[in-house]
Each structure stands twice: as C-alpha cells, then as structure tokens.
Amino acid sequence: MEILAASHVHSTWSYDGSWSLEDLSARFSRRGCRVLMMTEHDRGFSAARLREYRQACAQASSSEILLVPGMEYSDAANRVHVLVWGDVPFLGEGLSTSEMLKAVKACGGIAVLAHPARKKAWQCFDPEWADLLLGIEAWNRKYDGWAPSEVSPALLKTAGAVPFVGLDFHTQKQFFPLVMALEMESNKNVSEDTVVACFRARHCSARAFGSPLSQEVFRAALPALRMAERSRRTVASIARSSGVLSR
C-alpha cells in the first residue's frame, strides 16, 4: 500500500528550527503524512546528543505517524549538504562530502544530496558520489520555492539517482504539497528499518500537488510554476527593499 512521507524536516533540535518534535508530529499527521523524515543540522550535535534525539523521535511518534531520525551533514565550506538516514552513528562536523558518503554507505545508511542550487552546490558534484547517493532533491521548498530546481535534472541523470522532494521545513512558510510516496506492504508495519529499506529499494516516488513529478500533467504545469516562482521572488524582493527603506 502507499503511504506518504514528508522529507527534510527540522525541529528545535536544529539550531535554526522553530517547531518541537511533538508539534511537528501533530501537524503533519493532520496533513495526511504517515512518516516524517527528520534531518537535523550536524552543527552542535554529538554522539550523545544523537542518542537523545533518537529517543525523542521515538517518543514523539505514534500509531498515526513515525518520526525517522536523520541528519543533514554540511561540508567544511557549508556549501554541500547531504541528508542521511539509517543506523548511522554521528559522523562529526565539517567532513568532506566524499568521506561522509563513504561512511554512510559502510553503515548501511542512505544519503540524499540536498538543495543543489543553494550556493551553486551542483558545481561541486563529484562523479564518485553517484554510487554513494540514493537520491538528489529535485525540489526543495525553502531554496527552490514554488517550482522545482532547474539544475537537478542534469545531476539526477548523471548520478542515476532518485528524485526527492524536500520541504526543508524550519517555519510555517515551508508547508507545501511536496511528499515522497512509499510503497509499503502494510500501514501497520511502519518502522525506521522498513522505511529506510523501502527507500533503499527505490520503492518511492516524488509527488507535488498530489501528482508524480514524472507525469505529463505535472510537466505541462512547469512553465506556470516557474513563472509563479519568479513573481514570488520579485514581490519578496520589493517587500524586503521597502522594509529597509522604511527603517
């Protein structure tokens, strides 16, 4: 059966998060999500803090929604970010992306390249990452806005990776109809292990507004989405400028 997972979600366990795990659990459950793929920033974490965080995710989970603990690792330049899930110990801060990805694979975890357009991270892509990445974010709500990334398609093709959609949720502004649909055997046997295994087997697909990104109806809507995003950025820029002038 199909269940829905919101991916790339931050809580107050991240230095820049604003929602508690309990509040996220309640709100996303009401929005029809069965799984939350959490991704806290590595900054300020440690092995002990990760253990505490795993326990907190378990406590915030319920029979309606599962919070899967995960990390968002950043390289030393804070340019390339990678989302990691699975039974992976805390790897440390500021690791090289290649070193970190190899460690994740050795532990049996899964890794997804986050928001490749941010700081032009796509320019840093190393071909050796292709065998180490499960997926690449094709659409990140925080950085791409109302339309998918224009740089991700080429990377996805090069890497043979799974297209992911991520909210990069920090605040209310990042609520958006982007989810990963998972093909699971049952809605009852949903655990961290079965969810990670489902992703690893690529039994998943990215959805926007309820439609797969691969569907023709979605591709036909791309020009309108990109126009809307350009308009949104223009309005936001004007608003910021007006705020500066008013001060």
Side-chain angles (χ1 to χ4, degrees):
M1 67 174 299
E2 183 179 277
I3 66 170
L4 302 180
S7 177
H8 199 160
V9 181
H10 295 271
S11 74
T12 49
W13 283 78
S14 286
Y15 67 89
D16 57 355
S18 60
W19 286 50
S20 70
L21 291 173
E22 291 74 18
D23 287 342
L24 289 168
S25 175
R27 180 65 71 88
F28 276 94
S29 180
R30 290 199 297 269
R31 294 174 71 91
C33 290
R34 180 66 178 83
V35 175
L36 276 188
M37 302 299 289
M38 302 300 301
T39 50
E40 309 297 357
H41 291 294
D42 58 0
R43 177 174 157 186
F45 258 79
S46 64
R49 184 168 171 79
L50 179 57
R51 287 194 294 271
E52 294 172 2
Y53 174 63
R54 283 186 161 277
Q55 293 174 356
C57 283
Q59 291 171 358
S61 298
S62 69
S63 58
E64 285 76 39
I65 190 165
L66 171 73
L67 278 66
V68 177
M71 297 295 301
E72 180 173 1
Y73 285 99
S74 309
D75 63 1
N78 191 28
R79 188 175 180 188
V80 179
H81 289 199
V82 177
L83 314 175
V84 171
W85 297 284
D87 188 14
V88 180
F90 183 66
L91 301 175
E93 297 182 43
L95 299 176
S96 75
T97 301
S98 292
E99 178 185 358
M100 181 271 298
L101 287 174
K102 290 175 183 176
V104 171
K105 185 172 184 178
C107 293
I110 57 175
V112 173
L113 180 65
H115 39 60
R118 175 187 174 273
K119 294 188 176 182
K120 297 183 179 180
W122 62 272
Q123 295 178 342
C124 302
F125 188 84
D126 188 324
E128 77 167 358
W129 299 353
D131 292 332
L132 304 171
L133 285 167
L134 166 68
I136 296 173
E137 281 190 330
W139 193 341
N140 177 287
R141 169 61 186 90
K142 184 179 179 183
Y143 288 101
D144 298 323
W146 292 354
S149 168
E150 296 191 42
V151 302
S152 290
L155 281 182
L156 286 162
K157 185 176 181 180
T158 296
V162 174
F164 265 67
V165 289
L167 297 174
D168 208 345
F169 187 93
H170 291 79
T171 69
Q172 179 92 13
K173 292 187 297 183
Q174 278 86 51
F175 275 123
F176 203 68
L178 296 176
V179 293
M180 297 297 296
L182 308 182
E183 287 296 330
M184 305 283 288
E185 291 185 1
S186 168
N187 187 42
K188 296 181 180 179
N189 186 28
V190 178
S191 66
E192 178 182 359
D193 288 343
T194 60
V195 167
V196 170
C198 185
F199 275 113
R200 187 183 295 113
R202 301 190 172 209
H203 294 162
C204 58
S205 60
R207 302 283 175 86
F209 304 99
S211 298
L213 296 191
S214 58
Q215 277 193 355
E216 182 60 35
V217 64
F218 177 77
R219 290 198 295 268
L222 278 178
L225 289 170
R226 289 190 168 127
M227 183 178 296
E229 172 58 16
R230 286 193 292 270
S231 298
R232 183 191 71 84
R233 289 178 185 258
T234 298
V235 170
S237 178
I238 292 172
R240 286 194 296 269
S241 297
S242 298
V244 170
L245 291 174
S246 66
R247 289 197 296 269

